[in-house]
Amino acid sequence: MAKAPKTEETAMTAPEQNTSLVIHDYGDDAGKGYENQTKADMSIPFINQLQALSPLVATEKARPGDYFNTVTEEIIPRDKGFLFVAGGTRRAFAEWVPRNNPDGSERPAPAGGGGYRGEHAVDSAIVARATKESVKFGKFFTPDGNVLRDTFYVYGCLCGEDGTNTMAIMPFWSTKIKPYRAWQTRLRQFTIKDETGVTILGPDGKPARPPLYGHLNRITSVQTQNTNKQMYYVPVITSADPRGLQWSLLAKTDERFQMAKECKMLFESGAAEVDYSKQDTAGDDGGGGGEDDSTTGSPFGT
């Protein structure tokens, strides 16, 4: 059988790739398609502070102390942080299925999986019972052994450095409660002063105070340790302008002011769409469960 004549082989070369980013000009189509959407079409993200045992840190995709946006999945560096305008706050006891029983023994996986099980009001019967039966300061459990975590939620406007703003929510619990209280106390006690440093009085004759959503804040992280010398990160909340609160105030016409105010109204009306199971609890306080009890607070503390 005759062999087929050999043909010269042609080497296949991959097409040259353009490695530069292409910027598209969409012209009249820019921003179209969202005309019929409202806030009900969007999810409000959690901005979680990651700890040593957070999944993203364990897989080396982020560092302890970095922040994570649960909707965009953006990782925000702990040193740079982000700008945030608080619109309002809310306190509740979040119920979680723990990995271990209160005595430290391993707990079998519950039906339906673990994780978030809802929340309870501060003055609810289940919280009152948990407080009465608590054997360790700041530790609260349901009758079936689930954890009740005293949590302060701060909702408002996450301000992008590029001018893109969106609503977001931050949870503060355990060792995060101390910086949360210091932040809120500082803002609440602030009074507006004139150029000579004299406090300005409002129409009621009392010192003029801006609303909570009149303050532009920067949130970063700092490493600290508990009484067991376990290392973990807590939020650091400062004025956006290093010169102080007076220099970080927003005008009422500022988009960030208006968005934080709108976020407040959404939460108070119950119309906010939030998936509370997205708040990260993995590896809190260094991952050892040994938070500094002096910062956890009583459920009926100030």
Side-chain angles (χ1 to χ4, degrees):
M1 184 175 180
K3 294 183 179 180
K6 290 184 178 181
T7 58
E8 185 177 350
E9 294 182 354
T10 303
M12 298 295 292
T13 58
E16 184 177 348
Q17 294 184 354
N18 186 358
T19 58
S20 61
L21 178 65
V22 178
I23 306 299
H24 299 285
D25 180 4
Y26 290 103
D28 294 339
D29 292 311
K32 296 294 180 64
Y34 306 105
E35 293 83 359
N36 297 323
Q37 293 188 9
T38 65
K39 299 300 180 186
D41 293 276
M42 295 177 283
S43 296
I44 298 178
F46 272 96
I47 307 300
N48 290 325
Q49 185 182 50
L50 305 178
Q51 299 292 345
L53 294 186
S54 297
L56 286 170
V57 175
T59 55
E60 299 183 347
K61 295 179 180 178
R63 302 173 301 169
D66 287 347
Y67 290 91
F68 179 68
N69 184 316
T70 61
V71 170
T72 66
E73 299 186 352
E74 176 190 4
I75 295 173
I76 305 171
R78 64 195 182 197
D79 303 319
K80 180 180 179 182
F82 56 95
L83 295 174
F84 187 78
V85 181
T89 65
R90 188 175 69 84
R91 186 185 184 187
F93 277 72
E95 181 177 341
W96 295 88
V97 177
R99 290 186 295 270
N100 299 318
N101 290 310
D103 61 4
S105 60
E106 187 173 350
R107 194 175 191 189
Y116 184 70
R117 284 292 185 269
E119 65 177 39
H120 305 276
V122 175
D123 58 355
S124 64
I126 193 169
V127 170
R129 176 176 177 175
T131 303
K132 182 178 180 180
E133 297 177 352
S134 177
V135 296
K136 185 178 180 181
F137 183 79
K139 298 290 187 179
F140 311 104
F141 298 90
T142 64
D144 57 358
N146 287 346
V147 173
L148 290 177
R149 174 163 282 161
D150 189 7
T151 308
F152 292 81
Y153 297 102
V154 182
Y155 41 86
C157 175
L158 174 65
C159 312
E161 303 286 352
D162 60 353
T164 303
N165 305 312
T166 184
M167 294 183 183
I169 182 170
M170 286 192 67
F172 292 81
W173 68 87
S174 188
T175 52
K176 299 179 182 69
I177 292 179
K178 187 174 182 179
Y180 160 80
R181 286 176 172 160
W183 174 33
Q184 293 301 310
T185 301
R186 180 169 175 252
L187 297 188
R188 191 165 186 169
Q189 292 180 349
F190 173 76
T191 57
I192 303 174
K193 297 177 176 58
D194 62 19
E195 294 179 354
T196 65
V198 177
T199 299
I200 297 176
L201 300 181
D204 58 358
K206 297 180 180 179
R209 290 185 169 86
L212 180 60
Y213 39 88
H215 294 279
L216 181 61
N217 312 274
R218 180 168 293 280
I219 302 179
T220 56
S221 296
V222 68
Q223 189 178 48
T224 186
Q225 66 179 15
N226 59 20
T227 53
N228 296 326
K229 299 189 182 302
Q230 293 171 311
M231 306 302 296
Y232 58 95
Y233 282 83
V234 294
V236 176
I237 309 158
T238 59
S239 302
D241 191 310
R243 291 174 292 180
L245 292 173
Q246 184 89 8
W247 298 91
S248 302
L249 294 177
L250 299 173
K252 292 182 66 174
T253 55
D254 193 295
E255 178 187 344
R256 297 164 294 184
F257 181 104
Q258 293 297 329
M259 181 171 287
K261 181 179 179 179
E262 183 181 1
C263 190
K264 174 180 182 293
M265 296 171 63
L266 277 175
F267 274 85
E268 290 179 348
S269 67
E273 295 291 331
V274 180
D275 182 358
Y276 285 93
S277 68
K278 296 298 184 181
Q279 50 188 311
D280 181 31
T281 62
D284 185 34
D285 305 333
E291 61 263 25
D292 183 349
D293 291 336
S294 66
T295 63
T296 55
S298 160
F300 303 104
T302 55

